[in-house]
Every structure is written in structure tokens, then in C-alpha cells.
């Protein structure tokens, strides 16, 4: 029974750690499906986290914090779009620049506004997204196997967690069952054909990067006032890059993206659990091994051992209309 409780604890941690990855990976999915590589997921999450924490502290409202986080992330997306879509700049350079700007600006503003070394003050109560207890969770807690799973893994999460999982089938429906999704995928594969059909490539790509900004805003808000209770320096901790690895691992498809992020979240949770523990015969396993596994798995995929991962053909290429 102790092993089962341990498993439940790891699964609960897996869900919590996977949410920002799922949201950021879906953000990258929209952008890259439209042919715009977005290395700036990390920076947008970080900027959104700071804006959400600051707004939630000043207003006492988690929802205003969410709106602030989304708003700042959308501004960063528009900057990325202006640089890489309107001005046809290098998409990688633009994304990396946004990461540097976010990393520096959040600390400078945090110190200037709150004088806590780049942190924001702790928030509580209505300024945080609290866990939601689903109907019947307390009643089912004592039911063998199913009860603890429902009460401690499925129930007890905040609303942004459920939004993240809802975004997966919604993204699948948008990409594969709507006219917008068809055009979005087409512009990532052959923007010339889309332009010939009389559809604006620029407008489609801007809408894609704005969708990415929306999802990164929710991811950053989750980090600051749902998973945590304040903003701290570099709190995104490379999650934007792990989300990109998950996106590649899932071959740019929404449902596999969710499972890839859950896998990476599980490895992260397992790394936290295994810290300082010894395995029989092997001994103490370095935590860094578990933390490196997502990148190792992605490299194995890219090497072609478990199938090719081919990005959209027009990805990373600025479109120039032929005259």
C-alpha cells in the first residue's frame, strides 16, 4: 500500500509539473504549424509570470493577474511577429532576443517596484488560483485504487490545470476540423499556394503567434499564482525549451504533445522523488540523469530511431510574395 501511495504522489506531481509544458507546447504548435518557429516560448512564459504575480498582488485578483499575464505575453508575440513576419527577420534570433529581454526586464522591474531582489511579494487568498475539489472526491477517498486516484490526482487541481487539458482536444478540433486550422497547416507547408488562393499569409501567421501568446500567458500565470504564490527570478527554469523538445517528440500533433509533456513531467517528478534515494545494486542515481532524459529522448527521435520528426516545410522561412 505504501508503494501505491508513493505512485499516487508521483502522479499528482506529474500533473502539476506537466501543465506549463502542455500549454507552452501547444503554443509552439500553433506558431510552428503556421511556419513561424518560436524559440521565445521561455521568455513569454517568464514575462507573463511576472505580470500575473505583480497584478495579482496589486489588485488582489487572480483573474486580473491572468489577464495581465496574457496581455504581456501577447505583446511579446506581436513583437516576435513584427520582427519575423512583417520585417522577415530571422525567427530564431527574434525568439532568443525575447528570452534575453524577459530574463533581464522581469528582474529589473521586480527590484524597482518591490525591492525584493527581483521577486514579487507572496500572494494568497483570492489573488491565487486555489485547488478545486471535484464532486464526490471526499466520499471516494477510501475506495481502493480508484478513490485515491480520483481524490488526489484528478481532483484537487486549480482551474488552469483543467483549462490546459481542455485545450488539447480543442486544439485538435481547431487544427483538423475548421477552415482556420486547414489554412494554418497549409501556410506552414506551402505559403505560396495559400497566397495564390487569395488568403493573407501574414494575417494567418499573426493569428498563429497570437494564439501562442495566449497559451504562453496562461502557462506563465500558472507558474506564478497557481503552482507558486509569487514570481521569482528565472522561475520558468527552461520549461519553454522542454516544451519545444516535447513538441518535436510529439511530431507537432496536439494529443501526442499532451502525452509527451506528461512523460516529461513524470520524469521531472521522478527526479524530485529520487533525490537522495538509493536503488538496490545501482546505488544513488544522479538526479541530473532524470532531468536530461527528455532531451535524450528527443535526440533519439531526431536521429530517426523511433520514426522521423519532420517539421512544417515552410517552418522558419520568411515568406516573400512573388511579384
Amino acid at each position: 500500500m505504501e508503494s501505491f501511495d508513493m505512485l499516487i504522489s508521483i502522479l499528482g506531481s506529474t500533473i502539476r509539473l506537466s501543465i506549463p509544458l502542455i500549454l507552452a507546447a501547444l503554443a509552439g504548435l500553433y506558431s510552428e504549424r503556421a511556419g513561424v518557429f518560436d524559440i521565445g516560448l521561455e521568455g513569454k512564459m517568464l514575462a507573463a509570470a511576472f505580470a500575473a504575480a505583480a497584478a495579482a498582488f496589486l489588485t488582489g485578483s487572480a483573474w486580473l493577474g491572468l489577464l495581465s499575464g496574457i496581455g504581456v505575453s501577447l505583446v511579446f508575440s506581436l513583437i516576435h511577429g513584427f520582427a519575423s513576419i512583417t520585417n522577415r527577420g530571422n525567427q530564431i534570433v527574434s525568439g532568443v532576443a525575447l528570452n534575453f529581454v524577459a530574463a533581464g526586464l522581469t528582474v529589473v522591474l521586480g527590484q524597482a517596484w518591490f525591492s525584493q531582489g527581483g521577486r514579487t511579494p507572496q500572494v494568497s487568498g483570492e489573488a491565487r488560483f486555489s485547488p478545486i475539489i471535484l464532486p464526490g472526491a471526499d466520499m471516494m477517498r477510501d475506495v481502493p485504487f480508484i478513490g485515491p486516484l480520483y481524490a488526489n490526482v484528478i481532483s484537487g487541481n486549480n482551474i488552469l490545470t483543467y483549462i490546459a487539458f481542455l485545450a488539447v482536444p480543442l486544439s485538435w478540433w481547431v487544427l483538423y476540423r475548421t477552415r482556420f486550422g486547414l489554412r494554418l497547416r497549409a501556410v506552414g507547408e506551402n505559403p505560396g499556394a495559400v497566397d495564390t488562393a487569395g488568403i493573407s499569409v501574414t494575417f494567418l501567421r499573426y493569428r498563429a503567434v497570437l494564439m501562442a501568446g495566449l497559451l504562453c500567458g496562461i502557462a506563465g500565470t500558472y507558474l506564478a499564482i497557481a503552482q507558486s504564490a509569487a514570481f521569482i527570478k528565472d522561475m520558468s527554469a527552461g520549461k519553454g525549451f522542454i516544451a519545444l523538445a516535447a513538441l518535436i517528440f510529439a511530431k507537432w500533433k496536439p494529443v501526442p504533445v499532451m502525452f509527451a509533456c506528461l512523460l516529461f513531467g513524470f520524469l521531472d517528478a521522478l527526479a524530485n522523488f529520487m533525490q537522495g534515494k538509493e536503488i538496490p545494486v545501482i546505488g544513488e542515481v544522479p538526479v541530473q540523469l532524470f532531468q536530461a532524459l527528455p532531451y535524450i529522448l528527443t535526440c533519439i527521435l531526431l536521429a530517426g530511431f523511433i520514426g522521423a520528426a519532420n517539421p512544417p516545410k515552410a517552418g522558419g522561412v520568411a515568406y516573400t510574395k512573388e511579384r
Side-chain angles (χ1 to χ4, degrees):
M1 195 63 183
E2 185 179 341
S3 299
F4 181 71
D5 291 339
M6 186 189 308
L7 176 62
I8 291 296
S9 179
I10 292 175
L11 289 177
S13 183
T14 296
I15 296 296
R16 291 188 292 273
L17 293 170
S18 298
I19 298 307
L21 299 181
I22 291 172
L23 290 166
L26 288 176
L29 175 66
Y30 278 100
S31 185
E32 296 193 13
R33 276 290 192 174
V36 181
F37 283 172
D38 199 348
I39 303 296
L41 297 176
E42 178 84 2
K44 284 186 278 191
M45 287 173 65
L46 193 61
F50 175 78
F57 172 74
L58 294 172
T59 65
S61 169
W63 291 103
L64 289 177
L66 175 61
L67 289 176
S68 299
I70 291 174
V72 168
S73 183
L74 288 174
V75 169
F76 270 62
S77 288
L78 286 173
I79 293 171
H80 182 53
F82 181 73
S84 60
I85 301 173
T86 303
N87 291 306
R88 303 181 183 87
N90 187 295
Q91 297 172 5
I92 305 298
V93 172
S94 173
V96 170
L98 288 178
N99 289 339
F100 281 120
V101 169
L105 195 60
T106 51
V107 174
V108 171
L109 291 178
Q111 177 61 25
W113 292 351
F114 304 109
S115 301
Q116 295 189 11
R119 299 168 59 101
T120 62
Q122 294 277 328
V123 296
S124 59
E126 294 296 320
R128 282 193 70 192
F129 286 104
S130 303
I132 298 173
I133 305 302
L134 297 179
D138 293 330
M139 190 190 315
M140 291 187 62
R141 195 176 295 274
D142 296 327
V143 177
F145 301 109
I146 299 174
L149 189 66
Y150 179 73
N152 299 320
V153 179
I154 299 174
S155 179
N157 297 297
N158 59 75
I159 192 169
L160 298 185
T161 300
Y162 301 113
I163 288 174
F165 282 109
L166 183 62
V168 176
L170 183 61
S171 295
W172 177 87
W173 180 78
V174 168
L175 286 171
Y176 295 102
R177 291 292 183 270
T178 67
R179 182 180 299 177
F180 168 71
L182 174 63
R183 291 175 174 178
L184 192 73
R185 288 182 290 124
V187 83
E189 297 292 336
N190 192 341
V194 173
D195 190 34
T196 302
I199 301 166
S200 173
V201 172
T202 299
F203 185 47
L204 270 173
R205 287 186 167 179
Y206 262 107
R207 281 192 284 175
V209 297
L210 286 174
M211 286 295 297
L214 171 67
L215 291 165
C216 279
I218 301 173
T221 301
Y222 176 87
L223 287 175
I225 58 174
Q227 187 180 57
S228 305
F231 172 85
I232 59 174
K233 180 183 177 184
D234 296 329
M235 75 180 307
S236 52
K239 288 181 174 60
F241 301 113
I242 297 176
L244 284 173
L247 184 59
I248 297 168
F249 190 77
K251 302 180 182 179
W252 293 270
K253 296 177 181 177
V255 176
V257 158
M258 180 188 69
F259 287 115
C261 290
L262 286 171
L263 172 62
F264 291 178
F266 174 76
L267 294 173
D268 198 2
L270 192 61
N272 293 336
F273 175 78
M274 293 300 297
Q275 202 160 10
K277 291 184 173 61
E278 292 190 0
I279 297 176
V281 181
I282 299 174
E284 186 174 336
V285 180
V287 174
Q288 290 79 5
L289 176 63
F290 293 99
Q291 294 172 339
L293 277 176
Y295 300 102
I296 294 171
L297 291 172
T298 304
C299 289
I300 292 172
L301 175 68
L302 291 174
F305 291 113
I306 49 179
N310 300 314
K313 294 176 182 177
V317 180
Y319 177 67
T320 304
K321 188 173 182 177
E322 296 181 5
R323 297 182 182 280

